[in-house]
Each structure stands twice: as C-alpha cells, then as structure tokens.
Amino acid sequence: MEALGSLIQGFGVLADPMNIAYMFIGITLGVLIGVLPGLGGANGVAILLPLTFSMSPTSAIIMLSCIYWGALFGGAITSVLFNIPGEPWSVATTFDGHPMAQKGHAGEALTAAFTSSFFGAFVAVLLITFLAPVIAGFALRFGPAEFFAVQLLTFCSFVGMGSESPFKVLCAMMLGFALAAVGLDSVTGELRMTFGSVELLRGFDFLIAVIGLFGIGEILLTMEEGLAFKGKSAKINAKVVWETWKSLPRYWVTAIRGSIVGCWMGITPGGATPASFMSYGLAKRFSKNRQNFGNGEVEGVVAPETAAHAAGTSALLPMLTLGIPGSPTAAVLLGGLLIWGLQPGPLLFVEQKEFVWGLIASMYLGNIAGLIVVLTTVPVFASILRIPFSIIAPVIVVICAVGAYTVHNAFLDIVMMLVFGVVGYVFKKLSYPLAPLVLALVLGDMAESSFRQAMLVSQGDLAIFWSNPLVGSIVTLALVMLFWPVISALLRKRQSRPDGGAPAVSVK
C-alpha cells in the first residue's frame, strides 16, 4: 500500500504540463532514433543528455527515459517494413514481421509488435513499482564491502553469463577500467596516467565515449556496408488495430513467458537483445504452429517484442535501487544522474523520493503515450527512410559532435569522440562487445572506491568479503558466474559420459 501511495504522489509530480510535454517530445525523438539505423537507444540518450542540463533532474530523466521507450517502439517499424533492425533487439522481429509485411499484413504485424511491447513494459513497470522499494530497503544494510560485491557480481555476470566470448568481454572491460582510472585518484588525489597532459586531469568523460562508441562507430560501420533503404509502406487504421487486438489474447502464454524472460534478462545484465532471441526461441519450441515461424507468424512478432520491452524497462530496477545498470542505456542514465548530483542506490528512495516516484509514474504514462504515438505516426516515420542515407549520416555525425562539444565546451571532446568512434568501429568489426566497456567506464571508479574503502576498514584483509552471510553469498555467486563457462563445460563433459563418470569401455 505504501508503494501505491508513493506512486500516486509520483503522478502528482507528473501532472506538471511541462513534464507531460517533455514526455511526448522524448517519445517522438525516441521513435525517430529507433527508426534510424546507426542510432540507438543508448546513443540517442547520450547525444541528448547534454541538452537536458538546464532542466530539473525530474524533467530531464522523464524526457530521457521516454526517448528510451520510444527507441524500443521505433525499432519494430524498420524491422517489419524494411527488414532493417533499427535496434539490435529488433533483429528477432524481422524473422516473422517482415514476411507478414510482404504478404500485405504490415498493419497487423506493427500493431501486434507495438501492443506486445506495451504489455512487456507494463509488466516490468509493475515489477519496478512493487519490488524497487523492497530492494532499496534491503540495500540500506550495504557497506563498502557489500557495494563492491554487487558491482563484482555485475562484472562477473557479464563475463560468465553473456552470449559473447568471455575473453572478448574481459578485454573490453579491462579497457574500460583503464580509461576510468585516468585522471585524479579519488582516494589519494594523485595523478594517474595523465602523461603530463592538463586535458586528461578530468579523465575520460563517459558521455564522450558513449557518443563516439555507439554513434560514430555505428555510422562508420553502416557507411562501409553501403546501407540502402527498401521496404513496404504501411497504414494502420482503427479496423486493423481492433481486429489485431481481438486475435492477440490467444497468445497470452507467449506474452507472459516473454515478459518473464525479459524481466529476468533486464534485472541481470543480459539485456534486451538476448531476451528477444530467447523469447523467440521458446515461442517457436512450444508453439502449435512452429512450422509457420519464419513465414509470417504473429506469435513470432509477439514473443521478441514483449521480451525486449520488458528487459529494456526492468533494466532500470537495479540502476535505481543499487546503482548497477542492467543495460548500456541504463548505464548512460546512471551517468546522467551522477552529473545532476543524484547518487543512484537505496538512499535515492529516501532523499529523492519525489524524483524516483515521478520517474516510475512516467513509465506508465510514457508507454501509453508511446503506443498512441507509434500507432498514429507509422507512415510519417516510415517515410523518413526514403531519404538517402548519404544525407542522414552527416546529420547524425553533426548531432553527435554538438552533443560532445556541449559537455565541457571543448573542441578536444569532439576529437576524443572521433577517436572513440574509431574504437567502436574496430570493436564491431572484431565482434567485441561495447556494453562491458561502457559499464566498466561508468562503474570503474565506484567499484575501485568501494574496494579500497573495504580494504581500509579491514586493514587489507580480503576476508571482509566473507565476513557476513550477505556479502559472502554475493561474492560467491559472483565467482560462480565468472567461472560459469568452465563449470558448464565440465558438467557437459561429465554428462556425456555413461553413468555420469568413468569413460565407456567397449567389450567385444
């Protein structure tokens, strides 16, 4: 009941007409970002983050989070109409969404995608509403050792539970830690890795890195591929929406399963992309019409879209309650909160209660607004893709440069943005993940400070990380996740042997 009372207060914060206006502006910009390949939710938020510094933190986070919801919605438009995933998590939507469009059912596919996205996000917001205060209250018991344990758990889960090569994840993470260490030592005040450069005293700003890695890197890769837009046109009218809505309840099991998968992958650092693929695979496995998957099956659109939106939304739960982002976009939002002087974590629910519940309330209204916007403006956003990419790409680069320059009003930041853009391009060409690099760049200082504070308290004794059941269980779980690839390989090897042990001996 306390959560409901706080939520009502949050809707009171959202009643400000300016916050409502920012919400719709954010949704519209987000859909545009989701539609344009080469941009993404994380990069769109990063580019526009400097433009929100003049706003109040509440208005700024409402607008930025709505950009995120809009990008989640917008990725489905290009997937269905053009077979071009506007976002990585929209790849699975192309499997059945585009075949439906080719058969003349683009309206039905888009309506199913948008409605499923709304359902997945709604389930995730309910989870945040009722679970966030519990987690925040529990986390008030945390000290330096516990905070480092949670941060270690995040890093280890990226290494052991992700779909990428653990070696590549570790390499990306180590680079992020190295970049985070540049500048002034937060504990001793000494200079680290500045090499006599005054410009490096403030270190590498995560915002410059994110704009370069995601924005410029994607543009360089897209230019190399010579992307051209070809697709189907679509119109959504009330009759199409109503007929599709009448057919969707038959897929309620798929939607609930996708929401569960999405919420789990959002809270853990799995992310929306693996959640969408996992949900699609489960739907195909358990569907009665599995033979139709890949040929234009509505269930093949419902499953990935539900999971992607649930994962994208629930990723904000660990970010708000523990200060641990569950996705690259959540990592960017985390950096924004730090810039505004807000420390994500359990105390945020005590010291900035109005801010937190205003944000949670905006999640409800933002997703409703997003559903309305995309259902009414699909033809407009689809027509944008008729513009040659040779025109769109320079516009995106200019926007990235403006966003980078406004962080410190320094030309050096534009140069660093371009350098990070080349790094992002190389990472993508070599199939190295960017999310662990961003995560380490954002959390590296916090993790280092927590570890060193714990060491000061224990006088250098590592046993402090097993000094009580809470921190001990978290660190143990982190180590299990870190070595999970090795553990799972040993388990598979053991199971492949007869009797689960000794190797088989043939007898003639």
Side-chain angles (χ1 to χ4, degrees):
M1 293 302 294
E2 183 179 352
L4 289 176
S6 299
L7 183 62
I8 292 172
Q9 293 179 3
F11 279 110
V13 173
L14 200 62
D16 185 342
M18 286 306 298
N19 286 339
I20 297 291
Y22 289 138
M23 183 177 67
F24 275 96
I25 292 172
I27 288 289
T28 305
L29 290 174
V31 174
L32 178 60
I33 288 167
V35 164
L36 292 175
L39 280 177
N43 186 54
V45 173
I47 292 171
L48 297 173
L49 182 57
L51 305 181
T52 63
F53 291 166
S54 60
M55 303 179 188
S56 68
T58 303
S59 299
I61 197 69
I62 286 173
M63 180 174 171
L64 292 172
S65 61
C66 284
I67 291 172
Y68 187 23
W69 315 146
L72 285 165
F73 277 115
I77 297 176
T78 51
S79 297
V80 172
L81 299 182
F82 297 87
N83 203 30
I84 301 171
E87 298 284 356
W89 53 76
S90 298
V91 173
T93 307
T94 64
F95 299 160
D96 284 276
H98 190 60
M100 287 183 67
Q102 290 178 316
K103 294 178 180 178
H105 301 297
E108 291 89 332
L110 288 171
T111 302
F114 298 150
T115 308
S116 302
S117 298
F118 171 79
F119 179 81
F122 183 74
V123 172
V125 176
L126 286 177
L127 184 74
I128 292 174
T129 301
F130 295 101
L131 201 57
V134 177
I135 295 177
F138 175 71
L140 284 172
R141 299 163 49 190
F142 282 27
E146 285 80 6
F147 274 113
F148 175 74
V150 172
Q151 289 151 357
L152 180 66
L153 177 64
T154 305
F155 297 135
C156 291
S157 58
F158 260 93
V159 176
M161 305 302 288
S163 57
E164 297 89 358
S165 163
F167 173 77
K168 292 183 176 181
V169 173
L170 277 173
C171 289
M173 202 172 282
M174 291 303 106
L175 178 59
F177 286 137
L179 294 174
V182 174
L184 286 172
D185 187 324
S186 58
V187 177
T188 65
E190 296 180 355
L191 297 178
R192 300 190 299 190
M193 294 188 287
T194 58
F195 305 103
S197 172
V198 178
E199 289 83 0
L200 291 179
L201 284 177
R202 62 171 180 254
F204 290 102
D205 195 289
F206 90 98
L207 195 53
I208 308 300
V210 167
I211 292 175
L213 291 170
F214 286 91
I216 304 301
E218 281 287 347
I219 289 295
L220 292 175
L221 194 66
T222 306
M223 288 170 62
E224 181 190 24
E225 294 171 351
L227 185 63
F229 299 127
K230 296 178 182 178
K232 300 288 182 179
S233 59
K235 291 184 179 180
I236 298 181
N237 54 46
K239 182 180 179 181
V240 171
V241 172
W242 180 246
E243 292 297 326
T244 306
W245 281 355
K246 285 199 298 185
S247 67
L248 287 180
R250 73 180 70 167
Y251 306 115
W252 65 274
V253 175
T254 301
I256 293 176
R257 182 173 57 231
S259 299
I260 294 172
V261 169
C263 288
W264 171 251
M265 296 298 285
I267 294 173
T268 61
T273 303
S276 63
F277 279 102
M278 186 183 299
S279 181
Y280 183 87
L282 291 172
K284 185 176 181 180
R285 180 176 181 180
F286 293 108
S287 175
K288 297 178 181 178
N289 302 318
R290 68 185 69 176
Q291 68 279 0
N292 293 335
F293 274 65
N295 298 317
E297 175 65 33
V298 174
E299 193 173 2
V301 175
V302 172
E305 285 296 315
T306 306
H309 246 235
T313 305
S314 59
L316 297 182
L317 175 60
M319 189 270 283
L320 288 173
T321 56
L322 300 173
I324 306 297
S327 70
T329 309
V332 177
L333 291 174
L334 170 64
L337 294 181
L338 295 174
I339 290 173
W340 296 318
L342 301 174
Q343 179 63 54
L347 290 177
L348 192 66
F349 283 75
V350 178
E351 298 172 351
Q352 301 289 340
K353 188 174 181 180
E354 180 180 295
F355 167 83
V356 172
W357 288 103
L359 172 60
I360 294 175
S362 76
M363 295 180 188
Y364 286 94
L365 293 186
N367 279 287
I368 295 174
L371 182 63
I372 295 172
V373 168
V374 291
L375 284 176
T376 55
T377 60
V378 164
V380 176
F381 285 108
S383 65
I384 293 172
L385 295 181
R386 310 294 177 186
I387 302 172
F389 191 77
S390 58
I391 296 176
I392 292 177
V395 172
I396 296 174
V397 172
V398 170
I399 293 173
C400 290
V402 171
Y405 182 80
T406 53
V407 176
H408 299 294
N409 293 326
F411 181 75
L412 178 66
D413 288 339
I414 298 179
V415 176
M416 294 308 304
M417 176 198 72
L418 296 175
V419 172
F420 277 112
V422 174
V423 172
Y425 168 77
V426 173
F427 265 52
K428 291 176 183 296
K429 291 294 290 184
L430 299 178
S431 300
Y432 276 74
L434 290 176
L437 192 158
V438 175
L439 182 73
L441 186 58
V442 173
L443 288 184
D445 277 343
M446 296 170 60
E448 181 191 6
S449 297
S450 298
F451 177 80
R452 293 171 71 175
Q453 288 171 12
M455 289 294 94
L456 288 172
V457 170
S458 66
Q459 297 182 346
D461 188 0
L462 288 173
I464 190 174
F465 296 114
W466 284 272
S467 59
N468 61 66
L470 175 60
V471 67
S473 60
I474 297 175
V475 171
T476 302
L477 179 60
L479 294 177
V480 170
M481 286 191 170
L482 177 63
F483 295 105
W484 182 250
V486 178
I487 296 172
S488 59
L490 292 175
L491 291 175
R492 285 195 301 269
K493 186 176 180 180
R494 181 179 178 84
Q495 291 173 356
S496 65
R497 295 177 177 179
D499 302 325
V505 178
S506 60
V507 179
K508 294 185 180 178

